[in-house]
Amino acid sequence: MKRMVEEDPQCVNARDGAGYRALQWAALNNRVAAATLLLDSGSEVDAGDNEGQTAMHWACVRGALPCAELLLRRGANLNAADSRGYVPLHVAAQYGHTGMIYHFKMRWNVDVDVTDLDGRTALHWASYKGFPDPVKLLICMDADIYRADKEGCTPLHWSAMKGKSEATHLLVQAGGSSVLTAVDVDGNTPEALATDKGHHSLAYFLHNQHKQLSTRDHFWTQKGMAVACLSLILGLMLGFTHYVMFASGVATMDVSLAFWSLVVLGSSSAGLYYMRRVSNADPGFVTAAALSSLRRGTRPSSAANDVDDRLNHSELWAGNWNQLCVSCKLVKPFGTKHCSMRDKCVARFDHYCPWMGNTIGKRNHRDFVVFLILESFAMVVAFAVAVVRYGEESPGEKYRNNTGILMFAAFDALTLLPVIMLTISQLVQVAQNVTTNELSNAHRYSYLKSSDGAFVNPFDRGSHLANIRAFFFPSKNAPLIDDIAAGLTTVTVDRTV
């Protein structure tokens, strides 16, 4: 090739029979050495083919990032549009090259909302093709999720029309009710287009999401089962008082039983106090502002100076797009998960508890476990007292009625069984310093896997006792983001090309 260039210097800009140039072929196949030779020999970096596509467009077809970076350093125009208005970013989105999109934004601060001749952005194309990672990244880059093209279609219209479920889920999570009710020029919502194209399961999902989002913030949706839980506990306390402590026809309690009965009522009352704390607490909501002091990763020397620091993160430079949250638009620390019911990311997310009407996370997990312990203890003691009372002799045996005691004992036992199982499960997890979410979804989290794929818990402090002590007796100024979780993502980033 070098000899050919020396013999005919003009060949570097010559077209083949189809109108393509040598630099385009080098870019398509990521031939950095060949592209360097062509550019050094006078090849025009922004020269287009018959459709106006440049070497940069071709590099984006196969995600040839090293060659694309070479072209950019040699002055390639990232905003060069072909005959259909496609810029390189559109092509990268059309072919699902998430890393290239990230590179263009972080190194060259590309405009993610630039449109083609039909008014479509990179997010439209990623949604149309159904690539979840580009969709996720573009949303977190603040791409306009509500922007309509010339047909009035938003990105959600296109993903619903093509039956792309993953992209649809992400767009709904990020856009909420507004994106679900958007209509195109013909008055069609995304749900209507999904139905029209035969994607009935996707249309059903969109319909249900619209219903759920419209009632998600209502009091009874958030706290309805918490009210039921409160009523259940109060009902057990009243039943214990009426049917066991002051049972009709049964002898007056002795001092010992009276003491344990008061313990039952005291433990139940303390449990209600902790229930209130759990229900009303901030479970550990994570925001971009809260993460600003926990910057991880090193800004590459050639990164654009005015890019969003939220995205300048080692996990993203490493291509771990699963750490992105499209609702909160942040990079989730390890152990953090987005709660769909509260629509916020929660540090050390354990689960959403409808009986508490709140998410269980870093800030209220201890109170939740204490609540379980207190109520389990109260129900065990109450059952024991009921059994003793049932067997007591009564001076007025013919007036004795044990039905109330039996009913209370049966109801107490039925309630106790699931509660004590949950309590034991939570205590085992506390001893291991692992959450319910991590145990249930360990296969999704790379930080819970060793090099050979076996489960490993990086949050384990070395012993059950150390884990229990740290859980029940945290330091007064304990950070929102677990120190171990912060340490997991501390790496040195070297992204020079």
Side-chain angles (χ1 to χ4, degrees), residues 215-436:
T215 60
R216 182 178 62 186
D217 296 328
H218 293 179
F219 173 82
W220 289 107
T221 302
Q222 292 281 346
K223 303 293 185 181
M225 291 186 71
V227 173
C229 181
L230 174 63
S231 302
L232 174 63
I233 296 172
L234 291 175
L236 283 170
M237 292 174 68
L238 290 173
F240 178 75
T241 303
H242 181 71
Y243 293 112
V244 178
M245 292 180 68
F246 302 106
S248 176
V250 182
T252 304
M253 281 185 169
D254 60 22
V255 174
S256 176
L257 277 184
F259 169 77
W260 286 111
S261 297
L262 292 176
V263 168
V264 169
L265 297 178
S267 182
S268 296
S269 299
L272 290 176
Y273 167 75
Y274 276 95
M275 177 185 174
R276 181 178 180 276
R277 284 171 57 101
V278 173
S279 182
N280 295 330
D282 171 358
F285 294 132
V286 177
T287 63
L291 296 177
S292 62
S293 61
L294 297 172
R295 294 306 309 139
R296 292 177 288 277
T298 311
R299 176 185 289 275
S301 58
S302 58
N305 291 324
D306 51 352
V307 296
D308 192 339
D309 254 356
R310 287 178 306 129
L311 301 176
N312 188 33
H313 198 289
S314 60
E315 286 300 309
L316 301 186
W317 284 112
N320 189 2
W321 316 116
N322 288 330
Q323 292 302 116
L324 286 168
C325 175
V326 295
S327 294
C328 303
K329 296 185 179 179
L330 53 79
V331 181
K332 296 175 290 186
F334 289 113
T336 297
K337 185 180 183 296
H338 187 83
C339 177
S340 59
M341 284 298 295
R342 300 302 303 273
D343 197 29
K344 292 180 181 178
C345 282
V346 178
R348 296 297 284 151
F349 175 92
D350 191 81
H351 68 287
Y352 179 81
C353 182
W355 299 104
M356 297 291 105
N358 201 0
T359 310
I360 306 303
K362 171 83 172 184
R363 297 296 195 206
N364 65 353
H365 196 179
R366 181 186 64 173
D367 289 347
F368 176 69
V369 174
V370 172
F371 161 79
L372 290 176
I373 293 172
L374 289 169
E375 295 300 340
S376 296
F377 176 73
M379 285 188 283
V380 168
V381 176
F383 182 81
V385 171
V387 170
V388 172
R389 291 287 277 168
Y390 179 80
E392 281 185 334
E393 294 183 2
S394 174
E397 193 68 30
K398 65 178 181 179
Y399 300 108
R400 181 182 181 125
N401 184 356
N402 289 327
T403 304
I405 297 177
L406 288 173
M407 287 177 58
F408 172 82
F411 191 70
D412 183 77
L414 289 173
T415 307
L416 173 62
L417 182 61
V419 173
I420 202 165
M421 289 177 64
L422 177 59
T423 304
I424 294 171
S425 172
Q426 284 287 311
L427 287 173
V428 170
Q429 291 169 202
V430 167
Q432 298 173 342
N433 199 14
V434 68
T435 64
T436 303

Side-chain angles (χ1 to χ4, degrees), residues 35-47:
T36 301
L37 174 63
L38 292 167
L39 290 168
D40 289 342
S41 302
S43 182
E44 298 176 20
V45 70
D46 282 329

Side-chain angles (χ1 to χ4, degrees), residues 20 28 33 70 78 119 138 165 170-171 246 278 346 358 385 390 466:
Y20 306 132
L28 179 69
L70 170 66
L78 261 180
L138 287 164
S165 59
L170 290 168
L171 292 165
F246 302 106
V278 173
V346 178
N358 201 0
V385 171
Y390 179 80

